[in-house]
Amino acid sequence: MKKEVLKVENVSMRFNLMEKKVDDLKDYVIKLIKRELRYQEFWALRDVSFSLREGERLGILGLNGAGKSTLLKIIAGVLKATEGKVTIKGKVVPLLELGAGFDLQYTGAENIYLYGAVLGYSKEFIKEKFDEIVEFSELGDFIDVPVKNYSSGMKARLGFSIATIVEPEILILDEVLSVGDAKFRKKSEKKIKAMFDKGITVLFVSHSIEQVRRLCDRAIILDKGRLIADGTVKEVSNLYEKRINEP
Amino acid sequence: MKNAWNNFIKYRFLLVELVKKDIKLKYRRSYLGILWTLLEPLLTTAVLTIIFGKFLGKGGRTFPVYILTGRLLYTYFANSTKAAMKSIRKNSGMIKKVYVPKYIYPFSTVLSNYVIFMISMIILFLAVIVFKIKPTWHLFQAIIPLSLLLVLVMGVGMILATLAVFFRDLEYLWSVVLMLIMYTSSIFYHVNDLDLGRRMWIFKLNPLYLIIVNFRNAIFGRPMDMEALWLAAMYSFGSLLVGIIFFYKQQDKFIMNI
């Protein structure tokens, strides 16, 4: 039995939604006086528990609003769960919306250092890997041009190249396999496949059952924030297909 | 506590990168570059000297230096608290996607402004020479008010950054408060010239005034005003403590409001 790398225990996430968004002082005071400050509770996740062992590749299925992204954000540390606990052993690399941390005024080269620092890498490490990142991104001379002049494909390529420079223990993929043009897409898929072969643990969110079947060996279904199925990818994806096709 | 420290060590490179970025981008965008940092206090001091020194006939030979000291410290306070207030919203894109300790944003903003503030001190250095103010060993005292100012700005910056996440219109309110602080910081007048009577306490409520007093004492070669020092230290560390606790307690809610 391989060791456990991720453990999600009874995780619940509550959002307090105001009926009307109040985000300035003036509105807040007026609503407070008129007693119109009503909050609506909304549970994006309810009592979700599962654990992953080293090398498992988990597909997360669910309709829009089922809580998939919320779950990934909690695992990535961006959100903090209202209740419950997440234990992680090893380095997590989230490949969520690549290049979101770029500064547009900065050149590609400067952004490599900035984004690397955001991901928690040290300066020496980035320096060492700099050439490798530039080469993989295929940006060439564009690396010294401010990112605001990049196309979205170029941005995604650079983001992908920086984020995948380390070999993480846990990789979070949120439908990012569609990066850049066809050629780069192939290249990035190859890189991710190579990581798979080395036996890293993967969390994968996708609306495409096909992709999940191809990439994962285990799957869960989330429905309105609850975990309703957990098993091998074959069983669970069949069940999911059946649920979708139900009238 | 130990965890927080380890986390800080892990992300210290990010802190350095963010400070560098702020400074680099500030000067990359403007043609006059670093010159502006020096020119701006020089010009405002000239205006204030003409109005309050010449027209109202206040001050003496070294009045421009008097104004400049107050002006420089106030400008740093105003600019960095304003920038820190916006820091969380400005970086919302990143905060929503990747985990980073959130205090790093107000922190780096305050620090990059501090570096620019230190650069602008060159102008004070020149003014001291031009107006022939003899340097004394009291000059070394300057490091104390300057450190207290940093602590104060960190604290106030964190409080404002937290509040601004929930209330977008805080900027307008803060600019009014800043005006009040400016007029009670004795930037372009001497407190002794005012007919205050028992109302001196108004000044003792203003931490920036208390810091400026001791900074001037250092520049003009006078011993420290101990009362002002203790009060300033109390306000500065007090606000830092409140800022850290407040920020820490609210930071998990940030993401739902930005």
Side-chain angles (χ1 to χ4, degrees):
Chain A
M1 212 55 168
K2 286 192 167 160
K3 70 171 196 251
E4 219 164 54
V5 285
L6 172 73
K7 194 167 184 172
V8 176
E9 291 167 276
N10 309 94
V11 163
S12 296
M13 185 74 212
R14 186 186 61 214
F15 289 102
N16 281 327
L17 295 178
M18 259 182 263
E19 279 172 22
K20 269 184 207 145
K21 200 167 175 12
V22 175
D23 65 355
D24 63 24
L25 206 57
K26 184 193 73 195
D27 279 358
Y28 185 83
V29 173
I30 292 172
K31 292 244 157 61
L32 193 72
I33 293 168
K34 287 171 134 181
R35 293 172 191 278
E36 275 176 8
L37 275 183
R38 270 179 293 249
Y39 292 92
Q40 219 171 17
E41 269 190 12
F42 166 69
W43 290 87
L45 286 177
R46 245 341 192 349
D47 204 21
V48 172
S49 302
F50 66 91
S51 62
L52 274 185
R53 290 183 184 285
E54 206 183 342
E56 273 188 306
R57 299 194 294 268
L58 180 77
I60 302 171
L61 293 164
L63 299 173
N64 281 333
K68 303 184 299 283
S69 297
T70 308
L71 180 63
L72 289 192
K73 280 183 174 171
I74 289 173
I75 293 168
V78 176
L79 277 174
K80 201 173 168 194
T82 317
E83 287 163 18
K85 211 172 100 187
V86 175
T87 331
I88 295 163
K89 291 193 186 88
K91 171 128 188 96
V92 182
V93 166
L95 290 187
L96 314 164
E97 290 185 57
L98 294 166
F102 286 161
D103 191 292
L104 297 182
Q105 311 280 341
Y106 249 26
T107 67
E110 286 168 320
N111 265 307
I112 291 180
Y113 281 95
L114 180 67
Y115 197 54
V118 167
L119 295 174
Y121 306 156
S122 73
K123 191 177 183 169
E124 294 73 38
F125 181 78
I126 302 169
K127 219 179 235 164
E128 201 188 299
K129 298 280 187 182
F130 187 85
D131 292 335
E132 203 179 314
I133 295 170
V134 176
E135 203 194 300
F136 193 85
S137 69
E138 297 175 1
L139 283 168
D141 291 338
F142 274 101
I143 205 71
D144 293 317
V145 171
V147 168
K148 65 177 172 202
N149 300 332
Y150 281 22
S151 70
S152 56
M154 287 161 87
K155 258 186 264 180
R157 258 149 58 191
L158 186 61
F160 182 87
S161 309
I162 301 170
T164 54
I165 203 70
V166 283
E167 273 165 20
E169 272 86 25
I170 302 172
L171 187 69
I172 298 180
L173 294 172
D174 192 353
E175 295 187 280
V176 279
L177 293 176
S178 47
V179 168
D181 55 22
K183 197 170 141 245
F184 191 81
R185 191 150 61 228
K186 248 189 187 151
K187 200 169 146 187
S188 59
E189 268 198 43
K190 216 172 121 193
K191 184 154 186 177
I192 288 175
K193 278 265 168 59
M195 284 187 184
F196 282 11
D197 294 340
K198 278 188 186 146
I200 63 163
T201 312
V202 180
L203 283 146
F204 181 58
V205 166
S206 175
H207 285 290
S208 150
I209 302 178
E210 271 319 300
Q211 251 184 342
V212 171
R213 274 192 184 131
R214 211 170 63 226
L215 292 172
C216 305
D217 51 19
R218 197 179 137 193
I220 58 175
I221 301 176
L222 288 178
D223 183 46
K224 296 190 185 97
R226 287 178 196 276
L227 191 129
I228 55 166
D230 183 352
T232 64
V233 73
K234 210 173 156 195
E235 288 166 15
V236 175
S237 61
N238 287 341
L239 183 71
Y240 185 65
E241 224 160 21
K242 222 187 273 167
R243 280 177 62 92
I244 297 175
N245 294 331
E246 263 170 29
Chain B
M1 222 16 217
K2 212 184 151 215
N3 263 338
W5 178 251
N6 286 342
N7 214 19
F8 176 74
I9 292 297
K10 186 179 169 196
Y11 282 98
R12 71 178 188 281
F13 173 49
L14 177 61
L15 186 67
V16 175
E17 274 297 308
L18 289 174
V19 172
K20 259 201 324 217
K21 187 185 88 170
D22 272 4
I23 297 168
K24 259 193 194 167
L25 290 182
K26 186 180 160 93
Y27 293 119
R28 196 177 286 173
R29 269 197 294 261
S30 77
Y31 292 109
L32 280 171
I34 211 123
L35 210 61
W36 260 128
T37 316
L38 305 176
L39 222 51
E40 198 264 351
L42 194 68
L43 294 175
T44 47
T45 301
V47 170
L48 291 172
T49 308
I50 291 166
I51 293 175
F52 292 95
K54 296 276 183 279
F55 294 177
L56 288 171
K58 297 276 179 207
R61 185 179 58 88
T62 57
F63 196 51
V65 178
Y66 181 88
I67 290 177
L68 191 58
T69 46
R71 176 73 211 166
L72 282 172
L73 267 62
Y74 170 77
T75 309
Y76 169 64
F77 181 82
N79 287 349
S80 56
T81 49
K82 270 192 270 182
M85 176 165 59
K86 293 179 196 150
S87 61
I88 297 290
R89 268 188 195 282
K90 211 177 117 197
N91 292 292
S92 63
M94 215 175 320
I95 291 172
K96 280 185 200 163
K97 305 281 151 51
V98 211
Y99 167 78
V100 222
K102 293 176 194 66
Y103 61 78
I104 222 152
Y105 296 113
F107 254 50
S108 65
T109 311
V110 167
L111 286 178
S112 63
N113 273 290
Y114 201 70
V115 174
I116 294 166
F117 169 55
M118 285 298 147
I119 295 171
S120 67
M121 283 287 182
I122 295 172
I123 211 77
L124 179 64
F125 180 74
L126 294 177
V128 163
I129 294 171
V130 169
F131 289 95
K132 299 195 187 77
I133 295 168
K134 261 206 205 107
T136 61
W137 64 269
H138 285 296
L139 212 54
F140 292 107
Q141 289 167 15
I143 196 157
I144 295 170
L146 290 181
S147 316
L148 284 179
L149 181 62
L150 183 62
V151 174
L152 177 73
V153 168
M154 289 257 184
V156 175
M158 286 186 106
I159 296 170
L160 290 172
T162 311
L163 285 172
V165 170
F166 303 103
F167 306 115
R168 263 171 201 277
D169 54 353
L170 187 71
E171 322 176 18
Y172 307 112
L173 196 65
W174 183 241
S175 59
V176 177
V177 176
L178 276 176
M179 193 164 78
L180 182 71
I181 291 175
M182 184 185 80
Y183 283 114
T184 55
S185 288
S186 79
I187 294 170
F188 36 77
Y189 56 83
H190 291 278
V191 174
N192 297 337
D193 291 345
L194 302 177
D195 184 19
L196 278 172
R198 287 214 195 97
R199 276 163 297 176
M200 189 57 206
W201 58 267
I202 296 172
F203 287 87
K204 287 183 185 162
L205 283 179
N206 179 356
L208 190 62
Y209 165 76
L210 299 164
I211 288 171
I212 290 175
V213 164
N214 272 327
F215 183 64
R216 278 181 180 146
N217 283 342
I219 299 294
F220 289 101
R222 294 186 297 248
M224 290 240 246
D225 175 338
M226 286 321 258
E227 193 199 2
L229 176 68
W230 287 122
L231 280 173
M234 224 173 63
Y235 287 132
S236 303
F237 286 102
S239 68
L240 184 64
L241 191 71
V242 172
I244 289 173
I245 294 171
F246 186 45
F247 191 90
Y248 191 79
K249 288 217 157 145
Q250 301 293 328
Q251 62 175 356
D252 293 332
K253 289 188 213 154
F254 285 1
I255 194 164
M256 294 164 215
N257 289 280
I258 49 178

